[in-house]
Each structure stands twice: as C-alpha cells, then as structure tokens.
Amino acid sequence: DVMGYPVTLNSWDRVVSLYGSFGETWMLAGGTLVGTTSDAIEERGLVLGDEVAIVGSVKQPNFEEILAANPDFVILSADTAEHVELHDALTDAGIAHAYYRVDTFSDYLSMLEQFCSLTGRDDLYEQNGLEVQAQIQQVLEQVEGREGPTVLLLRAYSTGAKAKGADNLAGVMLEDLGAENLVERYDSLLEEVSMEEVIAADPDYIFVVTMGSSQEKALEYMSEHFQSNPAWAGLTAVANDHYVVLPKELFHYKPNARWGESYAYLAEILYPDLAGTL
C-alpha cells in the first residue's frame, strides 16, 4: 500500500472503510460495506442499509466496533494519524488492511482500478474511471495553449484561512487548467494569509474552499477578517466578481466519479467563453 506495508488478501466479502470517500470508491467498484465512518452519511450522503455499521468518525474510529463488524479487509487513509496508529492493532488482530492516499484524479483512478480488480467489475472501472478520465481530457484540450489567469486558493476555517497550492486537490486542478497560483510567487502566503499579502498578490480570481462542519462559520471568518477591510473591494478579483466559494462536494471532499465535473466547473470560471460548453 502507500505506506509501504505488504498487503495479502484472502477474501474481501466483509469490508470496512474508515473514510467515507474511500468507502464510496469501493461501492463504485461494485463492492459492499459492512462498516464505515459517519462522514459517509453526514458528508457524502451515501445510502447505506441498516446492516452497515457506523464504526465511529474519520478522526475517531472505534476499534471495538471495527472488530465487531468482523471485517476481512479494512480500508484506511494514510493522511489520517488516527488511522496510521491502528496498523499494529489490526495486524495483531489478523485483519488485512491497506492505506490509501487520494490527492489527484490519477490517485483515484489507481484506487478504483485496484478495487475493480478485486470485485471483477471491469465495466465499473470503465464507467466510473476511464469515462471520467475522458471527460477531464476533453476539458484540458479546450484550455490547452491558453494564458491562464492568476489565482489565490484559500482554505477557510471558522478560526482562520490558509493559502493552498498543489498540495490541495483544487490546487492541482487549477494548475492543470493553466492558472497561475500566486502561492508559487509569494511564498509568505503559505505561512500566514493576511490582507496585506492578498493586496500585494492582487489575483485575478480568489477561490475559497471551506473546511469543518460549518461552512457558514468559515465564511463568517472570511467576512470579518478580509471582506470587512476597505481595501477588499479594490482587489481585481472582487471588482470583477471573481471571488468564488467552491462547492465542498466537488472541491473539499474527493469528487470520485464526479472529478470530470470538478474540472469543467473550474474551467468555465477561469475561461468565461467556455461557460455552458463543457
């Protein structure tokens, strides 16, 4: 797996996913779950039967409930410390498990391919993987050779905001679409986002992805610490109505089979002449 641990599977009839996104990918591959975390329902809106156990949350998985689900395969996130800490306990319990990391579409496609090889559903790899890849390629062909605008991508919380680059899935997509993310030019933005830094960068577009359970509180932080500043209205992005709050289902949560939709959404904003064509 991505952690470098060797993984041997003898069966995968009873699968538990400790991340709703990865659980959805397993289902997109034709698999079924016996357990998953609460975000699968609360954030992704997955329709799960009553027989599927909720084994805690992403950041607080309940090991006893995982064991009670009697899994033969557990899917975990390499980017979640609480998951990494479960490795020894799962190994001692004799439960096969694998860590994954999905930051880009190619990461998702690799995961889906592996899952479909287990379920034997090549048709679902075609439908939920290769067809999405073709959608993305079509979008990229439409923007190829264009001079992209400058952008600033902010990840907003109820208590702060951080500039993000290619370490963020929206940042990767913006880069693929030819936009110049100003964090590459202004390194200080990565340390602390201040109104002074935003004014100095003066991007053509400002994109915001909200974090946490309350988008409203994250946007309140932006309003209080940025939009209330008299200089805000003079920013190029704001003056041209290019301050965009991105939908969480496409840019915070892993888009999975909707990755092509995410690329098209951004492309039509960055290049207005493409609006309604993708």
Side-chain angles (χ1 to χ4, degrees):
D1 64 10
V2 299
M3 296 286 290
Y5 299 131
V7 181
T8 301
L9 295 180
N10 296 312
S11 63
W12 42 91
D13 296 322
R14 299 187 61 80
V15 175
V16 169
S17 175
L18 300 189
Y19 191 20
S21 170
F22 296 171
E24 181 182 55
T25 304
W26 176 250
M27 294 170 68
L28 289 169
T32 58
L33 296 169
V34 297
T36 189
T37 42
S38 57
D39 62 303
I41 297 172
E42 295 170 357
E43 296 179 358
R44 303 204 70 88
L46 297 186
V47 178
L48 304 171
D50 294 338
E51 70 279 5
V52 179
I54 302 302
V55 295
S57 64
V58 175
K59 292 296 182 70
Q60 293 183 310
N62 187 305
F63 187 66
E64 288 71 26
E65 291 179 2
I66 295 170
L67 293 180
N70 191 28
D72 49 21
F73 181 40
V74 176
I75 301 168
L76 308 99
S77 168
D79 292 324
T80 304
E82 293 81 0
H83 293 196
V84 176
E85 292 169 0
L86 287 175
H87 173 67
D88 289 340
L90 289 168
T91 301
D92 292 343
I95 300 173
H97 56 285
Y99 289 91
Y100 295 88
R101 176 178 292 115
V102 174
D103 293 323
T104 66
F105 172 74
S106 62
D107 294 336
Y108 159 75
L109 191 63
S110 295
M111 172 189 265
L112 182 69
E113 182 178 28
Q114 188 176 97
F115 286 174
C116 286
S117 72
L118 295 174
T119 62
R121 295 296 303 274
D122 291 343
D123 60 318
L124 292 178
Y125 177 63
E126 175 76 28
Q127 175 184 322
N128 297 317
L130 297 182
E131 289 183 10
V132 178
Q133 185 179 47
Q135 293 170 8
I136 295 171
Q137 187 58 39
Q138 183 180 24
V139 173
L140 295 180
E141 287 174 358
Q142 291 297 313
V143 305
E144 187 175 1
R146 293 174 179 246
E147 183 177 352
T150 59
V151 302
L152 180 61
L153 175 64
L154 300 178
R155 189 163 66 177
Y157 309 76
S158 60
T159 57
K162 293 184 178 180
K164 303 299 292 182
D167 59 339
N168 177 277
L169 66 89
V172 172
M173 286 187 262
L174 287 166
E175 184 178 277
D176 288 346
L177 290 166
E180 180 189 358
N181 192 331
L182 291 178
V183 296
E184 304 297 333
R185 193 187 303 176
Y186 298 91
D187 291 342
S188 56
L189 283 167
L190 293 171
E191 301 298 326
E192 180 180 357
V193 179
S194 67
M195 191 61 208
E196 290 73 21
E197 293 287 351
V198 175
I199 292 170
D202 194 23
D204 297 320
Y205 287 84
I206 298 174
F207 293 103
V208 175
V209 177
T210 59
M211 302 291 290
S213 58
S214 175
Q215 183 179 56
E216 182 180 345
K217 290 183 179 179
L219 294 180
E220 283 178 4
Y221 179 90
M222 290 298 299
S223 178
E224 292 173 6
H225 293 82
F226 291 92
Q227 292 167 267
S228 62
N229 191 305
W232 177 262
L235 292 171
T236 298
V238 177
N240 292 326
D241 197 25
H242 290 166
Y243 172 69
V244 182
V245 179
L246 296 173
K248 295 180 76 169
E249 64 270 19
L250 294 178
F251 298 100
H252 170 44
Y253 310 134
K254 313 299 183 187
N256 292 342
R258 299 181 67 186
W259 222 292
E261 186 179 341
S262 297
Y263 270 89
Y265 188 99
L266 281 179
E268 292 188 355
I269 293 173
L270 294 171
Y271 307 100
D273 63 296
L274 295 178
T277 68
L278 300 176

